[in-house]
Amino acid sequence: MAIVVLLHLTIAPLPAGQLSQFVLGGALLIVGLSIFLIGADLGMVPFGQRVGAALTHQRNLPLILIASFVIGFAITIAEPDVQVLANQVASIAPSVNKSTLLMMIAVGVGLFLVVAMVRVVMQISLPLLLIIFYGIVFFASGFAETAYVCIAFDSGGATTGPITVPFIMAMGIGVAASVKRTDGSDNSFGFVGLASIGPIAAVALLGLMNPMDKSAATADVATVIDTSFLGPFLHQLPHISQEITMALVPLVVIFFVFQVTLLKLPGQQVKRMIMGFLYAWIGLVIFMTGVNGGFTPVGRSLGMELGVMADGWALLPVGLILGAVVVIAEPAVWVLTEQVEGVSGGSIRRGVMLVALSISIALAVGLGMLRVITGVSIWYMILPGYILALALTRWCPPMFTAIAFDSGGVASGPMSTTFVLSLTVGAAISSGGNPATDAFGMVAMIAMAPLITIQVLGLVYKHMEGRQCKTS
């Protein structure tokens, strides 16, 4: 928020009234995410852990697979990041149906959460699965339009946000604890990383079935500015309340079904979890109202201002700075680093992970802005990046590989899908580029960078442990 205010006061003044709307939107984001994270701690995290443990205790593989798919589908529909991305896509590419896009993303997460469950139960190597499935995804994406490839890889990053990460990671910890393996801590991670692959494959498949109408690819790029202070927020509130209600109701229904059939928790715990879901609903409504009323419009306006300055090259330093701080603002990153520090017994420090993530995301956003300026294809960045990330799995400790692929998903959360992507879309519009191919793909860049950085960090830890063993 401070960076945006500074840009407004110096090189990129915003339209009248938008700065106050941005400040109010930012305040709503802070309050909304705070309330939501309380709800996640009360309801979603314990629910996920108990569901994971209960399913594996049943030793009924068909039940595990069906329940995993249903849960993965439901939590994805409820994920605010996915809703934000779908809105962004619909505004740039009207030929892409929002509901169809949401359904395909949700099906992809459900199917790959099933894969993640099977991996732990059947004790299958995570690096092997990552290489196989990413190989299939890249092969299929080669036949899809570039715009769909950008949206597909963005979907993989946006899917793992403040709802899915706490829930999926909690399920992973519950399942790993129930399997009773000596390396159970390794199995606690990798669920988010595998779940991120599903939406990429599903949206790429959608691109093969439903070619984009290029004549309508940028049909709705104009931003209508409501200069009243509360107008944009009050206008969004009823629609957002309805959407969040419809998104969370299936998850609540699933909770009660599991409570009656498998969990049978005491009344006090049930009451606590219901309060958690209520907090989550309130927090998400406030959060999405702040996003749609303040953050997204201002991000696009700021991007349009920066896109015409010095032929767009002003975007590069701004992108590097935003990338360095945006990861600290991602709530799912704090959930991940806390669980990593706990499961690793403190050997992997939160501060070290945050610094590594911050550096990698700064470079990723910088490269994403370079795409906007030069119009270079996303293939020249994601293909070498993923080849390097998958190659590192050969030498990196398995736990760090799992954490790395989880980190990629959580780094691309609400701040990326709301503000950074909106700014990139605005920059692509004002610089005369194609937002569908030049702007989309930014979330994918953010999601890819930690895959490399965290595994490099793992190799450093491995080297340090080797030296300590020799000296002792």
Side-chain angles (χ1 to χ4, degrees), residues 421-436:
L421 182 56
S422 297
L423 186 146
T424 312
V425 167
I429 294 168
S430 66
S431 61
N434 183 353

Side-chain angles (χ1 to χ4, degrees), residues 256-446:
F256 280 108
V257 170
F258 272 93
Q259 167 62 16
V260 172
T261 57
L262 286 178
L263 299 179
K264 304 185 188 306
L265 300 173
Q268 190 63 29
Q269 289 188 22
V270 173
K271 182 179 177 181
R272 179 183 175 88
M273 288 188 180
I274 292 173
M275 287 299 299
F277 281 111
L278 179 60
Y279 277 125
W281 180 86
I282 294 171
L284 285 176
V285 169
I286 296 173
F287 167 79
M288 290 299 293
T289 302
V291 167
N292 291 347
F295 253 56
T296 299
V298 170
R300 189 169 294 191
S301 295
L302 187 62
M304 294 180 76
E305 290 286 338
L306 294 170
V308 296
M309 294 178 56
D311 293 327
W313 287 100
L315 291 166
L316 205 53
V318 171
L320 290 169
I321 296 170
L322 281 175
V325 301
V326 74
V327 69
I328 309 300
E330 294 290 2
V333 168
W334 292 92
V335 174
L336 174 73
T337 53
E338 180 182 1
Q339 292 187 339
V340 168
E341 193 171 55
V343 171
S344 67
S347 62
I348 305 174
R349 297 290 182 185
R350 165 181 277 185
V352 175
M353 279 196 68
L354 286 174
V355 170
L357 287 172
S358 184
I359 294 171
S360 64
I361 301 305
L363 295 174
V365 177
L367 287 173
M369 292 302 179
L370 190 63
R371 284 187 58 235
V372 175
I373 299 167
T374 61
V376 65
S377 172
I378 192 173
W379 282 110
Y380 292 106
M381 295 188 180
I382 61 169
L383 188 58
Y386 273 97
I387 289 174
L388 177 57
L390 293 171
L392 286 171
T393 64
R394 171 67 178 80
W395 300 281
C396 183
M399 187 174 181
F400 273 90
T401 295
I403 292 170
F405 280 84
D406 282 354
S407 300
V410 302
S412 50
M415 295 302 103
S416 304
T417 52
T418 58
F419 187 76
V420 177
L421 182 56
S422 297
L423 186 146
T424 312
V425 167
I429 294 168
S430 66
S431 61
N434 183 353
T437 56
D438 296 341
F440 290 114
M442 174 61 81
V443 178
M445 297 293 296
I446 294 173

Side-chain angles (χ1 to χ4, degrees), residues 45-63:
V45 171
F47 177 36
Q49 288 176 340
R50 285 171 173 81
V51 165
L55 286 174
T56 48
H57 278 138
Q58 292 295 311
R59 303 295 178 186
N60 185 334
L61 189 58
L63 174 63

Side-chain angles (χ1 to χ4, degrees), residues 191-210:
F191 277 70
V192 175
L194 282 171
S196 301
I197 303 175
I200 304 174
V203 177
L205 180 61
L206 177 63
L208 295 175
M209 298 186 300
N210 179 39

